[in-house]
Amino acid sequence: MSGNDAFISIQALSKHFGPVKAVDRIDMTIGGGEFFSLLGASGCGKTTLLRMLAGFETPTAGDIHIDGVSMDEVAPHHRPTNMVFQNYAIFPHLDVRKNIAYGLRVLRLGNAEVDRRVDEMLEVVKLPGFGERRSNELSGGQRQRVALARALIKRPKVLLLDEPLGALDKKLREEMQLELRALQQSLGITFIFVTHDQEEAMTLSDRIAVMADGKVLQTDTPEQLYEAPNSREVGAFIGTMNFLRGRIVALELDPETIVVEAGAAGTFRVAGTGRGRTVGDPVLVGIRPEKLSVSVTQPADGTNAIQGRFAAMSYLGDRSHYFVEVDGLDQRISVASQNDLQHLLAVGQLDFGAEIWLTWAPAGAVILAD
Amino acid sequence: MKSATYIERLNRPLRTYAFLFLAFLYVPVLFLPLFSFNDSLYISFPLKAFTTKWYAQMFADQPMHAALMNSLKVGVATAVFATILGVFGAKAVTRYRIPGRKPVVFTIMLPLVIPGIIMGVALLMLVSRLGIPLSLYTVTLGHVLISVPFAMAILIARFEGFDKSMEEAAADLGDNAWWTFWRVTFPIVFPGILASLLLTFTISFDEFIMAFFLSGTDPTLPIYIWSQLRFPKKLPGVLALGSVILVVSFVVVFASQWLRGRGAARISDESSEP
Ligand SMILES: Nc1ncnc2c1ncn2[C@@H]1O[C@H](COP(=O)(O)OP(=O)(O)OP(=O)(O)O)[C@@H](O)[C@H]1O
Ligand SMILES: [Mg+2]
């Protein structure tokens, strides 16, 4: 994180629509120049939170401070934020140039200066020569760039983006992701980016807030969210995760290890601190599919291994997903393997129903708050 | 283009129907110009000689000119007031979360279904109770009352047809409510405003019942025409006047269609976004 660590601070912010708690007591701090994403399923309150930041919705309770100033009484047209709308909201009665120049009226610049800035913005969003078109003469990706240029020309402190890439096809989307990230880094503007696509959030963000039902479940870097989710919901929302329910049977020091007994999945070791835990506590253990390896013979060391039956597989070229049934577990365990030579030689062609072993390192699993 | 898909293929019964329908609509109207050039006081076949004297008579008819001016004044005033009220009403109804939106809209639309004669009598009673003398102002009042629902209907459709995030975007880019209205809302709803002006003007221009109850010594054109029908000698003059109005109406309607077409080409995709 660069610059001011609490450039935007949100305290106990709520928005209720009648009985619906669209945003429910959210606390959040966002640093200056940060690329911050709000990630969550449809209807979890992302747009509502963004609209409160922009000033279009009045909070039911709570505070928003931007750069140390309370936004409580500040109207949308006076906020240091600009928004890229989910549907772009390009003005249909104006051409691209006039759309981009729209926000310059309040600055009372001369015509020459306006033209210069618009040309510069057209350059930045790679649309030179498109100035005379109207919104119905633009493709989705071009509209998105116009919306971006129109917001950026105001040089806002904070840019709010509501699923700006949602309507684009995969290839264009990936291109625009790279461009957005490059733009954000060169301009140093704080981006708050709403998406329900976890891959997109992971690629772009410095930090991500995972939301559900109007609450924030976890705010962390993409890596931390993936490697150390704090709950089952987060683990399941970001990528895939296998869950094993068990009980602590021992706590070891040096290295710090928690020994878990998990019924059908046997007894295994999880790297992690035992601080705050006691033997006998129930725990939920999460293991990512790629942390598991498949073996056709029983591993020599008896711990951190589950025996199961090969039930299904999807082949994805460079890697494969295996689905393994384990007696006593109601959910299949999913395993991701690189299809490298080593793996192929070791595992070979598996028949459905074949007995196989799954093994993992103690550091490959995490204990989740449940 | 010659490509005839199933839907585009010519359909004989439909064409016959369309022809009969148009004939039913327009043949009676066409008698107006026909007899206005006929050199006879009486409207009956066979036609006599061609003449333009009825037009000359009409143009010389001073009270008729006065009535026409009255109607134009009332029509323009009605169109402007009804459309302004319609713009604000439609904006309020479509943009703000007002409690009881449905009953409000219902109340505004009610004059559409109240018989004109009842509205006229009611207004006359009110106006005379308040001691307001009958004049073109009271006629305008009545016309505004019956025109507002039409203006609202047109403008609500226009306001609903464009995304309110356009207005939010304007606010986001630094415009207050006033500038947002002039720079975004107004240009986008402008074709609707134009349509509303034309329609409300037309409603006022040929309105009879309210004008009958509410006009004082200055008659509007329909009232004047009606009063002239009692004198058979004046009838051909009325026909001439009717023909002129007919031609002017056609020109206005075609002009407005042409304007709408241009407007639509310019603002064609404002509602194409989800
Ligand atoms: N104006 C409103 N009136 C009533 N309920 C609303 C309003 N706006 C949002 N909601 C409700 O608040 C909740 C959160 O909505 P919001 O639009 O913030 O979700 P979201 O996370 O942006 O979803 P999506 O990914 O589908 O855009 C939803 O249950 C929604 O139905
Ligand atoms: Mg949303």
Side-chain angles (χ1 to χ4, degrees):
Chain A
M1 233 190 284
S2 63
N4 183 350
D5 274 2
F7 184 69
I8 298 173
S9 110
I10 294 171
Q11 287 135 14
L13 192 68
S14 298
K15 176 73 192 183
H16 300 175
F17 294 105
V20 180
K21 295 181 175 173
V23 168
D24 192 13
R25 296 190 61 79
I26 281 184
D27 292 292
M28 198 178 267
T29 50
I30 299 168
E34 198 174 2
F35 199 123
F36 190 91
S37 289
L38 302 173
L39 175 64
S42 185
C44 72
K46 308 178 295 285
T47 297
T48 307
L49 178 54
L50 210 63
R51 289 172 57 79
M52 283 194 281
L53 284 164
F56 300 137
E57 301 282 357
T58 316
T60 309
D63 273 326
I64 297 170
H65 285 76
I66 299 179
D67 206 6
V69 181
S70 168
M71 291 292 117
D72 221 16
E73 298 284 307
V74 183
H77 60 282
H78 288 137
R79 296 203 180 194
T81 57
N82 280 114
M83 182 134 161
V84 176
F85 288 80
Q86 193 157 8
N87 58 4
Y88 311 142
I90 308 290
F91 303 123
H93 58 295
L94 301 176
D95 64 18
V96 167
R97 286 196 79 85
K98 294 213 174 92
N99 262 282
I100 295 177
Y102 191 93
L104 296 180
R105 178 192 67 84
V106 283
L107 301 182
R108 302 179 189 288
L109 306 172
N111 281 344
E113 174 65 7
V114 168
D115 282 344
R116 197 188 62 71
R117 286 214 197 170
V118 171
D119 285 333
E120 184 185 293
M121 264 346 285
L122 282 170
E123 209 68 52
V124 169
V125 297
K126 306 203 172 91
L127 283 178
F130 283 80
E132 272 63 52
R133 300 226 195 161
R134 284 176 188 275
S135 78
N136 56 345
E137 297 163 341
L138 297 173
S139 74
Q142 289 162 346
R143 285 182 200 197
Q144 195 266 335
R145 288 158 203 248
V146 174
L148 196 62
R150 188 177 69 177
L152 284 175
I153 204 167
K154 299 277 292 179
R155 300 177 184 165
K157 293 176 181 169
V158 182
L159 189 69
L160 308 169
L161 302 104
D162 193 356
E163 303 202 27
L165 310 180
L168 309 183
D169 64 60
K170 190 164 180 289
K171 194 164 173 306
L172 189 56
R173 211 179 154 100
E174 282 167 3
E175 249 170 61
M176 289 304 301
Q177 285 173 1
L178 291 177
E179 286 178 22
L180 266 185
R181 183 65 174 150
L183 206 58
Q184 189 264 342
Q185 280 170 343
S186 68
L187 297 173
I189 295 175
T190 307
F191 274 36
I192 303 183
F193 185 91
V194 163
T195 179
H196 60 241
D197 179 338
Q198 49 114 355
E199 225 171 282
E200 185 168 281
M202 304 279 275
T203 321
L204 290 171
S205 321
D206 293 317
R207 284 193 309 150
I208 300 171
V210 181
M211 293 178 63
D213 292 331
K215 295 198 174 63
V216 172
L217 300 176
Q218 185 172 0
T219 306
D220 245 318
T221 60
E223 194 186 342
Q224 279 295 308
L225 279 179
Y226 190 80
E227 299 297 340
N230 69 2
S231 63
R232 184 186 185 116
E233 285 93 338
V234 175
F237 193 75
I238 311 273
T240 313
M241 194 165 223
N242 299 300
F243 298 103
L244 299 171
R245 208 170 270 290
R247 201 166 46 77
I248 299 180
V249 290
L251 293 170
E252 295 173 357
L253 289 171
D254 202 24
E256 282 195 306
T257 307
I258 300 162
V259 184
V260 176
E261 197 274 318
T267 303
F268 51 84
R269 314 166 93 78
V270 179
T273 177
R275 216 175 307 137
R277 303 184 200 279
T278 47
V279 172
D281 281 355
V283 286
L284 185 69
V285 178
I287 310 174
R288 295 286 184 195
E290 73 282 359
K291 301 291 192 300
L292 292 163
S293 20
V294 179
S295 147
V296 284
T297 54
Q298 178 164 13
D301 186 353
T303 60
N304 287 15
I306 306 179
Q307 191 184 15
R309 272 180 316 283
F310 174 51
M313 174 175 134
S314 40
Y315 176 76
L316 301 169
D318 57 336
R319 70 217 134 85
S320 297
H321 286 171
Y322 296 84
F323 299 94
V324 179
E325 260 166 14
V326 175
D327 288 329
L329 290 185
D330 43 8
Q331 219 135 38
R332 287 172 172 180
I333 296 212
S334 95
V335 182
S337 282
Q338 289 299 317
N339 285 335
D340 51 24
L341 203 53
Q342 220 176 355
H343 172 79
L344 293 178
L345 287 177
V347 176
Q349 276 303 82
L350 285 176
D351 292 325
F352 291 117
E355 293 284 329
I356 53 171
W357 294 81
L358 302 176
T359 61
W360 68 97
V366 285
I367 306 262
L368 303 168
D370 190 20
Chain B
M1 250 196 300
K2 264 202 160 178
S3 74
T5 64
Y6 175 70
I7 288 291
E8 291 162 346
R9 230 171 22 208
L10 287 176
N11 178 325
R12 203 171 296 275
L14 196 62
R15 275 215 292 184
T16 314
Y17 169 77
F19 179 78
L20 287 176
F21 183 76
L22 288 176
F24 177 69
L25 270 182
Y26 286 105
V27 167
V29 173
L30 289 176
F31 278 114
L32 226 60
L34 185 66
F35 283 105
S36 73
F37 290 109
N38 186 24
D39 190 5
S40 161
L41 266 183
Y42 305 101
I43 299 180
S44 63
F45 288 106
L47 295 172
K48 303 264 169 50
F50 175 84
T51 179
T52 55
K53 74 175 177 201
W54 306 124
Y55 286 87
Q57 189 189 72
M58 172 195 79
F59 283 116
D61 186 350
Q62 286 306 327
M64 197 218 81
H65 285 186
L68 177 64
M69 282 316 290
N70 290 342
S71 269
L72 287 177
K73 279 189 227 161
V74 170
V76 169
T78 299
V80 170
F81 283 116
T83 301
I84 289 174
L85 290 175
V87 167
F88 291 125
K91 182 161 164 62
V93 164
T94 53
R95 286 294 181 268
Y96 304 114
R97 291 183 205 129
I98 41 176
R101 184 195 137 140
K102 285 236 171 89
V104 168
V105 175
F106 179 77
T107 316
I108 295 171
M109 293 301 175
L110 203 57
L112 279 179
V113 293
I114 296 180
I117 191 152
I118 292 179
M119 288 279 285
V121 171
L123 266 179
L124 177 61
M125 275 169 25
L126 179 74
V127 163
S128 53
R129 265 296 155 83
L130 292 175
I132 302 170
L134 295 179
S135 66
L136 291 180
Y137 293 106
T138 49
V139 177
T140 307
L141 180 76
H143 283 183
V144 169
L145 204 71
I146 56 168
S147 303
V148 163
F150 291 96
M152 284 279 281
I154 290 178
L155 289 161
I156 284 179
R158 193 74 199 174
F159 270 93
E160 271 172 352
F162 93 91
D163 189 349
K164 80 171 194 298
S165 63
M166 297 289 168
E167 290 168 314
E168 287 175 349
D172 189 65
L173 294 165
D175 276 352
N176 59 21
W178 173 254
W179 279 106
T180 298
F181 181 81
W182 282 114
R183 295 181 77 199
V184 172
T185 315
F186 183 76
I188 293 180
V189 297
F190 184 68
I193 290 178
L194 217 57
S196 162
L197 285 172
L198 282 171
L199 181 67
T200 50
F201 175 83
T202 318
I203 289 171
S204 164
F205 193 75
D206 72 358
E207 203 281 336
F208 179 77
I209 299 175
M210 300 291 266
F212 180 74
F213 282 105
L214 296 170
S215 58
T217 47
D218 292 330
T220 61
L221 197 59
I223 300 289
Y224 177 76
I225 291 175
W226 178 77
S227 68
Q228 295 306 293
L229 290 179
R230 280 173 295 169
F231 312 110
K233 271 203 309 207
K234 295 286 187 87
L235 188 59
V238 170
L239 291 184
L241 176 63
S243 308
V244 171
I245 291 176
L246 207 60
V247 170
V248 171
S249 309
F250 269 119
V251 170
V252 169
V253 168
F254 276 113
S256 75
Q257 286 297 335
W258 182 71
L259 275 177
R260 259 173 50 126
R262 285 197 358 158
R266 277 200 321 129
I267 312 187
S268 66
D269 82 325
E270 70 221 33
S271 48
S272 73
E273 290 292 293

